[in-house]
Amino acid sequence: MASIFTKIINREIPAAIVFENDKVIAFKDINPQAPVHILVVPKKEIATVNDIKEEDKELIGEVYLAIGKIAADLGIAEEGYRVIANCNEYGGQEVFHIHFHLLGGKKLGPLV
């Protein structure tokens, strides 16, 4: 069964898209935890960080290049931002299609 992110990629579910190319899509989180909270998602379905394969390293590089561009476009690159990837249940992953949370727009406190 396709994840909610695959449905967004396929335009079956609407989203506030802020970036897209042939390998990556990024959209506003519907439950933001910071003034800027963007989900950056590879278009290839990979369930968890543990499932990234050798052949996916270029794709993951594309994700991080997109994150840098989005941060610059949204004006948070200079002050700073946080990138989080949750993995599996204990890591807080709710959607099993890897994605990266880009958070910024305010001073973020320590984690955990």
Side-chain angles (χ1 to χ4, degrees):
M1 182 164 165
S3 76
I4 189 171
F5 295 157
T6 299
K7 291 178 181 181
I8 290 170
I9 292 164
N10 292 333
R11 304 303 198 271
E12 297 169 32
I13 296 174
I17 297 169
V18 298
F19 175 87
E20 184 173 18
N21 65 22
D22 60 326
K23 296 181 181 182
V24 178
I25 190 167
F27 46 89
K28 293 181 179 180
D29 193 296
I30 61 170
N31 185 25
Q33 302 299 305
V36 173
H37 188 166
I38 306 297
L39 298 177
V40 185
V41 182
K43 290 185 175 179
K44 177 182 177 181
E45 278 194 59
I46 302 170
T48 74
V49 170
N50 294 336
D51 299 306
I52 297 170
K53 305 289 183 225
E54 183 74 21
E55 65 265 17
D56 298 320
K57 41 183 198 185
E58 181 180 326
L59 175 60
I60 300 306
E62 291 283 340
V63 168
Y64 273 91
L65 287 171
I67 288 168
K69 179 176 182 352
I70 296 162
D73 290 350
L74 295 177
I76 63 170
E78 291 303 316
E79 287 186 334
Y81 55 92
R82 181 175 290 156
V83 179
I84 298 173
N86 301 325
C87 185
N88 283 324
E89 180 184 358
Y90 281 21
Q93 187 175 4
E94 295 178 6
V95 177
F96 286 85
H97 181 146
I98 63 167
H99 55 285
F100 301 81
H101 297 259
L102 169 59
L103 299 151
K106 70 174 188 178
K107 186 170 181 170
L108 301 170
L111 288 174
V112 184

